[in-house]
Amino acid sequence: MKIAPTSIQGILFDKDGTLLDYDATWAPLNKLAALEAAGGDPVVAERLLQAGGYDPATDSHVPNSLLVSASNDVIAGSWAEMLGADPAHLTERITAVFEASSAQTAVAVPGMEAALAALKGRGLALGVATNDSEDSAYASLAPFGVVEHFTYVAGFDSGHGSKPGPGMVAGFCEATGLAPGAVAVVGDSHHDMEMGRSAGAGLLVGVLTGTGGRDDLAPHAHHVLDSIAELEALLDELAGRKRA
């Protein structure tokens, strides 16, 4: 998919797989959450993890699987069905695990801090849209000193709905005063690209720092980059095309 050059004034980032290394950050978190859901039974926890898309042989996750793409309440709903548990209560329990431990397990993608500082320095409005909780988003980004760059941080529990719905983009536009066409959505999954497309975002950028590959993202994104470190150069290229 290709897009005509456009004027981008704001960037809404996915968090995990885009700003943070997904497998390094979430393999330990998902194991903790599964063990919590399983009542401490490691055999049951392993069954939950594998049903969610975790591969124990590689300590990684299947692209676009439940654990990679779904919101906490959807993950809890799937696990609750397997366990015969109450989904709302399980959502609270696994969210509490994520919020308590995400700062300890968070691993930034290379160059994340510098890329965000440069983009903010250009006067762009920056935001985060995650299917994690809002509190966990703040906790996992705080160790890197980048929270101050964001005008807007939204999780599945922030009142805008969850991905792949358009609500988080709409919330970002409301918070910044930008039209959707002036917003770039940057993420590592189909859910991110679908969210941006359904909201009318002007630019959809896939990045390869998550679980998906180039062939997986290319049909859904206008551009696919190795990481957000290449985003500033892409914006310059698009601006040059527009002037030409």
Side-chain angles (χ1 to χ4, degrees), residues 56-119:
T58 60
D59 197 27
S60 64
H61 299 77
V62 176
N64 303 302
S65 59
L66 182 77
L67 289 171
V68 170
S69 298
S71 56
N72 294 3
D73 55 344
V74 173
I75 294 169
S78 176
W79 284 357
E81 186 174 353
M82 294 174 65
L83 297 168
D86 174 63
H89 181 52
L90 191 55
T91 298
E92 293 177 0
R93 288 166 57 199
I94 69 169
T95 296
V97 168
F98 296 153
E99 291 176 354
S101 302
S102 58
Q104 287 73 48
T105 67
V107 176
V109 301
M112 182 263 281
E113 299 98 319
L116 292 177
L119 293 166

Side-chain angles (χ1 to χ4, degrees), residues 30-32 34-50 54 56:
N30 286 334
K31 290 172 186 176
L32 289 171
L35 199 59
E36 168 67 23
D41 187 326
V43 174
V44 175
E46 190 70 17
R47 184 162 57 92
L48 296 176
L49 286 168
Q50 292 189 42
Y54 172 72

Side-chain angles (χ1 to χ4, degrees), residues 77-160:
S78 176
W79 284 357
E81 186 174 353
M82 294 174 65
L83 297 168
D86 174 63
H89 181 52
L90 191 55
T91 298
E92 293 177 0
R93 288 166 57 199
I94 69 169
T95 296
V97 168
F98 296 153
E99 291 176 354
S101 302
S102 58
Q104 287 73 48
T105 67
V107 176
V109 301
M112 182 263 281
E113 299 98 319
L116 292 177
L119 293 166
K120 185 68 173 180
R122 294 169 69 113
L124 293 162
L126 306 183
V128 174
T130 177
N131 271 342
D132 193 8
S133 72
E134 183 177 327
D135 284 349
S136 183
Y138 277 111
S140 60
L141 293 171
F144 307 103
V146 297
V147 171
E148 64 185 27
H149 297 320
F150 297 110
T151 302
Y152 170 91
V153 175
F156 83 98
D157 54 353
S158 298
H160 305 291

